[in-house]
Amino acid sequence: MRHPRLGCSTITFRRLDLDRALETIADLGFREVDLGSLPNVCEHVPLDLDDRARSRVLRAVRNSGLAVRSINADIGDLNRPATEAELDASRAHLHELSALAAEVGSVAVVLPNGALSHEPAETLDSDLDRVAGRLIEAAGLTATFGIELWTESLHVHRLCCTADRALALAARLDGSTVRHVVDVSHVVAAGADLAGTIDAFGPRTAHVHLRDATPGHVTDLADPLMPGNINLSIGRGVVDFDEGVIALQRNAFDGHFTLELETHDVDDADRPSAAAAAADTIESLLNRHPATT
């Protein structure tokens, strides 16, 4: 069996149906999984969660024997002004996700930090205020199901595309129950220092996504980031995973890690072996730097 703190996202096998993706992950020895529910990326948890869809997901998870760490979802562009009808639809979607999360035993639902655009809908400050407000509201809803609410605070293709923006959002969430997912590939692709960013989040980090990347760079205010490549297998980019694990340990991180290998450098037939190799690499680091208690 794989290290108990290391899981695999179904996004890694997004071209397989849910049953086959879970079967593959279980066969590789993982004990837990993140479920993808992202439009046009991975819809293993369908966007329309009617009773039939919910039952199908629940049955697949139970048959796999895997524990669920999180459901990685999107309920709309949290930074954009919305009508009351749009907000109600978003809340209804989150309600269905939270109900499913509770049924499958998930720890958390993960939401993004805003739209798939670097450009604010209004101003950066007002957009960040809106994202924080909606995440805090969402956390209140998920809590009624006993589910945590996490956000992937830094994502090079979304509103919070740089470490500065991600940390500005995090500051607005201080004092709330919303915690943060650090994806090391996005940190590096944003041109940020990995250890420094982990230190800046400190104890607010709930979960870590793992994939390799090459660095991007900030350009100007009109186009704040030229992202690096976030679609690389572990070992094919420049992410210093050892440095990252040490920084997390320094900040008393006791959460889990997920291989989210949405890679473009591996043929689909080779994905299981690539995931196994990535797991071997990360397990060696986790064994070398065990969590302190």
Side-chain angles (χ1 to χ4, degrees):
M1 295 295 286
R2 291 293 177 182
H3 193 286
R5 295 176 69 201
L6 180 63
C8 185
S9 171
T10 65
I11 293 173
T12 300
F13 300 103
R14 63 187 181 133
R15 291 184 177 85
L16 301 180
D17 63 33
L18 177 59
D19 289 284
R20 290 182 62 206
L22 293 175
E23 180 183 6
T24 302
I25 290 167
D27 286 346
L28 289 169
F30 292 98
R31 309 173 193 219
E32 70 177 30
V33 65
D34 284 1
L35 300 175
S37 187
L38 298 171
N40 303 314
V41 175
C42 179
E43 299 181 20
H44 283 139
V45 173
L47 306 183
D48 182 9
L49 267 177
D50 58 17
D51 289 344
R52 183 176 179 182
R54 188 166 55 250
S55 296
R56 188 165 61 248
V57 173
L58 182 60
R59 182 172 58 252
V61 170
R62 287 177 174 170
N63 288 342
S64 75
L66 292 163
V68 178
R69 178 60 40 177
S70 72
I71 299 177
N72 196 354
D74 190 344
I75 59 170
D77 297 342
L78 302 185
N79 61 304
R80 298 192 185 281
T83 66
E84 197 58 39
E86 290 170 332
L87 291 173
D88 285 344
S90 177
R91 292 171 185 132
H93 187 183
L94 181 60
H95 185 280
E96 294 302 318
L97 285 166
S98 301
L100 175 63
E103 285 186 289
V104 299
S106 178
V107 174
V109 170
V110 182
L111 296 180
N113 65 56
L116 279 164
S117 171
H118 297 167
E119 189 67 25
E122 294 183 334
T123 68
L124 181 58
D125 281 340
S126 65
D127 277 36
L128 291 174
D129 288 344
R130 189 174 296 110
V131 173
R134 293 190 63 186
L135 287 172
I136 291 168
E137 178 188 320
L141 191 159
T142 62
T144 65
F145 290 88
I147 303 298
E148 296 181 24
L149 194 287
W150 301 340
T151 183
E152 191 166 327
S153 314
L154 200 170
H155 189 298
V156 293
H157 298 309
R158 291 187 179 269
L159 177 70
C160 294
C161 56
T162 65
D164 285 347
R165 290 188 180 191
L167 292 168
L169 175 61
R172 287 165 165 81
L173 294 169
D174 279 350
S176 76
T177 60
V178 181
R179 299 178 68 205
H180 301 272
V181 175
V182 172
D183 186 317
V184 299
S185 70
H186 285 275
V187 174
V188 170
D193 176 73
L194 180 58
T197 302
I198 290 170
D199 287 341
F201 277 109
R204 297 175 291 190
T205 299
H207 191 58
V208 175
H209 287 168
L210 300 169
R211 187 171 57 236
D212 220 326
T214 55
H217 61 277
V218 174
T219 55
D220 55 41
L221 292 177
D223 183 15
L225 179 72
M226 183 65 68
N229 186 350
I230 60 166
N231 301 113
L232 297 175
S233 299
I234 288 177
R236 295 189 178 181
V238 302
V239 175
D240 189 332
F241 293 96
D242 189 67
E243 175 190 50
V245 171
I246 291 171
L248 288 161
Q249 183 189 52
R250 180 169 62 245
N251 286 279
F253 174 71
D254 61 358
H256 287 212
F257 301 77
T258 294
L259 296 175
E260 192 182 82
L261 302 176
E262 189 195 352
T263 55
H264 297 170
D265 56 2
V266 174
D267 291 335
D268 286 343
D270 296 328
R271 289 191 182 281
S273 60
D280 290 343
T281 298
I282 300 303
E283 281 181 322
S284 69
L285 298 179
L286 296 180
N287 290 328
R288 191 185 313 157
H289 306 295
T292 56
T293 57

